[in-house]
Amino acid sequence: PCPYHELLERSIPFVTIKRASTIPCNSELPDFSTDDALGIRTAVAHLHELGHTRIALITGRTHIVPAQRKADAFTLIMEELVGERSPIIEETFYTYEAAAARTPGLLERGVTAIVTGSDLQAIGAIDAIRSMGLSVPEDISVIGFDDSFLMSHLSPSLTTIHQPVTSIVTSAVDTLFGAMATPDYVSTHADHLFPPDLVVRATTAPIS
């Protein structure tokens, strides 16, 4: 069932930010999100430039739209850059603990670099790598996603994908206010994707 049914029936203006699901009524809503696919492509391209070809993705469960976008983009860019049609993708929770639990298995498979779907996952991966007696980025490179507060102050500071949160929220609010000022408002679907930036810090390095 659509959780927004009453709002849509009453033509009450609203928008979504980082649409999480594919429930049918979402097709009628304007959504404002980071271009997850572009972020993943940028991260993998950076690692490839550093000589990495054994790259894994730790992301969320792909029934969630942003996680599906990340996984799809990772599959495409890995085939384009290294000819890998079935890259290593671990679907799990966007948490420290989940990523830490999945990381040892990735290293056993010969992975030299890990892209994660959140900064918390990246921190979990880094701590798991260290617990195995390895170093970041000397042995394994790691990239996060979000550029959360304090990521630049970690040791080593985290290379990550910066989400343009201010631009996303500002555009969503402006659109909502515009809709509220429009007589006989009717909701229509539009995906507003905002390009993220790769922030290169100290958790990525050329393959040793």
Side-chain angles (χ1 to χ4, degrees):
C2 175
Y4 315 125
H5 176 73
E6 184 176 351
L7 295 174
L8 291 168
E9 283 288 307
R10 295 170 61 187
S11 295
I12 295 176
F14 69 105
V15 301
T16 59
I17 294 178
K18 289 191 70 68
R19 177 166 58 99
S21 71
T22 56
I23 55 177
C25 65
N26 272 331
S27 62
E28 304 176 50
L29 305 173
D31 180 75
F32 297 80
S33 299
T34 300
D35 190 337
D36 297 288
L38 178 59
I40 292 299
R41 292 181 66 88
T42 303
V44 173
H46 170 64
L47 292 170
H48 186 256
E49 289 173 358
L50 294 174
H52 296 275
T53 58
R54 292 291 293 170
I55 305 168
L57 172 68
I58 300 177
T59 188
R61 304 290 186 184
T62 54
H63 68 281
I64 303 297
V65 170
Q68 184 64 62
R69 288 173 172 167
K70 291 181 175 76
D72 289 346
F74 184 74
T75 299
L76 289 173
I77 190 66
M78 286 295 288
E79 182 174 4
E80 290 175 16
L81 292 182
V82 301
E84 178 57 72
R85 295 186 177 182
S86 299
I88 302 172
I89 300 175
E90 292 285 345
E91 295 183 30
T92 187
F93 301 105
Y94 282 121
T95 64
Y96 169 99
E97 294 81 4
R102 297 296 182 96
T103 298
L106 296 179
L107 302 192
E108 291 172 2
R109 297 174 68 177
V111 164
T112 66
I114 299 172
V115 178
T116 64
S118 74
D119 290 340
L120 280 177
Q121 287 182 328
I123 296 171
I126 290 169
D127 282 355
I129 292 165
R130 287 171 165 171
S131 73
M132 298 176 70
L134 299 173
S135 298
V136 175
E138 291 80 8
D139 298 307
I140 309 292
S141 288
V142 177
I143 297 181
F145 202 109
D146 288 334
D147 196 22
S148 310
F149 182 60
L150 296 180
M151 292 304 102
S152 63
H153 299 285
L154 297 180
S155 181
S157 58
L158 183 65
T159 296
T160 187
I161 299 296
H162 174 81
Q163 296 202 70
V165 175
T166 299
S167 296
I168 290 171
V169 173
T170 299
S171 296
V173 171
D174 287 346
T175 297
L176 183 58
F177 282 177
M180 292 169 63
T182 302
D184 302 320
Y185 169 78
V186 177
S187 178
T188 57
H189 174 72
D191 280 325
H192 302 276
L193 297 176
F194 292 76
D197 296 309
L198 174 67
V199 181
V200 179
R201 296 192 180 109
T203 57
T204 53
I207 190 169
S208 56

